[in-house]
Amino acid sequence: MSDGFPGPRPIHGDSVRITTDTASTTFTGTITSQGVLRDGRGCVELTLPGADPQQRRDLEQASSFRYDRSRDGARFYPSPQLVVRETRREKDGALVVTGSP
């Protein structure tokens, strides 16, 4: 299990459990997280497979979240609590959530 904040190289997994201030949900499929710099602040971009409309709304309306990433059934990264900085949809339907500590 990694204790460090995600760096600039993408990290892949096959499931993630996201807990927001109002809901908790699990996404399965291709999950990617990557450290990025936004406005001089270290952030993580979490790219999720296309979400159903309610999951998307829950994330878009959240003010904070944390996530537990897994690969092949093994948990390998528990995030700290993150403030939601941005949510967006990619052209392929993926949902991207950007957060910072």
Side-chain angles (χ1 to χ4, degrees):
M1 192 168 349
S2 171
D3 293 322
F5 198 71
R9 291 178 37 191
I11 301 170
H12 303 284
D14 55 24
S15 70
V16 64
R17 179 158 186 83
I18 297 178
T19 304
T20 68
D21 37 1
T22 60
S24 183
T25 190
T26 300
F27 292 84
T28 57
T30 302
I31 313 290
T32 304
S33 65
Q34 181 174 2
V36 296
L37 192 60
R38 293 279 190 270
D39 299 323
R41 174 184 297 135
C43 295
V44 63
E45 276 191 353
L46 186 61
T47 303
L48 307 164
D52 74 39
Q54 185 59 49
Q55 290 173 318
R56 188 177 71 245
R57 278 190 296 276
D58 288 344
L59 286 171
E60 289 171 342
Q61 295 172 1
S63 60
S64 66
F65 71 102
R66 63 178 305 282
Y67 65 94
D68 291 305
R69 296 251 330 252
S70 299
R71 183 173 30 228
D72 298 328
R75 181 175 163 214
F76 72 92
Y77 181 77
S79 80
Q81 190 72 20
L82 302 167
V83 174
V84 175
R85 300 293 175 188
E86 176 187 30
T87 59
R88 70 178 188 276
R89 297 290 267 177
E90 295 291 299
K91 290 180 183 176
D92 66 358
L95 177 63
V96 179
V97 181
T98 304
S100 65

